[in-house]
Amino acid sequence: DSNVGCDTDDPRNENIFFPTGTAIDGEYVIAVALFLGCDPLTNYRVTVIKSGAVAAVVDGQLVEGDPASRGREVARITWP
């Protein structure tokens, strides 16, 4: 996690990637989850890059105490 315990680091991001040739064919669900809110509202931006090109950019906001903020689907992609 990029900001464990409400300590922010810069840049404030997290990355998930597959080295070339290692992704398994199929559908991938991209989701965000607010485990512990340090503020009542947490903004996010998810950028999905597929084969070197931006496939999706999703901006949103997670709300402390909202059950939907514990796991919100933001995109789906199919590989290959």
Side-chain angles (χ1 to χ4, degrees):
D1 283 338
S2 180
N3 301 306
V4 173
C6 300
D7 293 329
T8 58
D9 56 9
D10 286 313
R12 293 172 54 176
N13 64 23
E14 298 182 35
N15 297 291
I16 300 170
F17 67 94
F18 295 97
T20 301
T22 64
I24 298 170
D25 292 352
E27 183 177 56
Y28 288 80
V29 176
I30 296 98
V32 295
L34 180 64
F35 291 102
L36 173 65
C38 300
D39 296 308
L41 303 173
T42 300
N43 297 315
Y44 65 84
R45 170 174 282 166
V46 175
T47 304
V48 179
I49 300 172
K50 180 179 175 183
S51 299
V54 174
V57 176
V58 180
D59 291 314
Q61 190 172 71
L62 301 174
V63 179
E64 176 80 29
D66 178 0
S69 293
R70 297 289 293 169
R72 178 177 297 161
E73 181 179 320
V74 295
R76 286 179 182 248
I77 61 168
T78 302
W79 184 261

